Amino acid sequence: MRMNRGAAISIAAAVALACCAADAAAMKHRERSPWMANVGIGVNRGRFEDVDEAMREYSNGAAPQIRFGRMLGKRLMVSANYQGWVVEFDRIGDTKITDAKIRRSLQDLTLGLTFFPGNSDSWTGGFFMRGGGGIGWAGTSAVPVHEGEAQEHGERRDDWGTAWFGEAGYEFWISDSSTLGLLGNYTYFDIGGDIVTSAWTGGLSVNLSLYF
């Protein structure tokens, strides 16, 4: 499966920017304002355990992220988080599907707590660890494909359950009120639905945060 080109370009650009920032004032820690708004994009891989007890693993799906947070002192932040992950394919094993694509997704809405373990007066203040849980759901759909016609959305089936996540990374200050963060993440889904019983997804992402 091919890597989502937009996500790959975004991450490559963010890494290059972060490397430049590391040699400049971006490495200098700044005091975080009380509120935070954050958007991100990542490239994840994941696995579904379906009701037929088969383990189906996929890679290179795009993973958008949105967060809103509130600082609790200098080292803690509570946040509301959304993360999605979607993959699309036209093969099952060695068999090619000629008239449709299969789309599978994982999404969650969670509450999280972020801990900043570094020295708040130095560059180590950019390190963070985040964890939490909430609602999670797994989507499965067959998208009809007709040559010469616009792609449809297809009929989608969602299985609902819970989601638990953990993240760790570093955020580089790129202005007095914004940071660029690089992080690794892992999310486990306990679904117990008609199609999916459990799943996980994890990968790397880049995030842009505004403190205000």
Side-chain angles (χ1 to χ4, degrees), residues 78-157:
V78 63
S79 62
N81 317 283
Y82 165 82
Q83 178 175 250
W85 177 64
V86 61
V87 290
E88 193 174 87
F89 53 93
D90 59 3
R91 285 184 178 274
I92 299 179
D94 295 329
T95 304
K96 181 175 176 59
I97 306 170
T98 58
D99 58 353
K101 291 183 179 180
I102 306 300
R103 182 178 294 155
R104 306 201 74 173
S105 62
L106 294 170
Q107 299 179 78
D108 60 78
L109 289 172
T110 59
L111 291 177
L113 185 66
T114 303
F115 174 55
F116 301 96
N119 186 337
S120 61
D121 295 324
S122 75
W123 63 270
T124 61
F127 288 106
F128 65 88
M129 296 179 290
R130 181 183 296 120
I135 301 170
W137 63 101
T140 305
S141 61
V143 182
V145 176
H146 304 292
E147 187 174 353
E149 297 182 11
Q151 181 171 301
E152 303 174 14
H153 293 289
E155 184 177 352
R156 173 173 155 170
R157 177 68 177 269

Side-chain angles (χ1 to χ4, degrees), residues 46-50 54-58 85 87 104-106 138-140 196-200:
R47 185 171 69 183
F48 294 80
E49 181 178 355
D50 295 330
M55 299 286 190
R56 296 181 170 90
E57 192 163 329
Y58 310 96
W85 177 64
V87 290
R104 306 201 74 173
S105 62
L106 294 170
T140 305
V196 180
T197 59
S198 65
W200 63 263

Side-chain angles (χ1 to χ4, degrees), residues 42-55:
V43 177
N44 282 18
R45 64 181 304 166
R47 185 171 69 183
F48 294 80
E49 181 178 355
D50 295 330
V51 292
D52 60 2
E53 298 185 353
M55 299 286 190

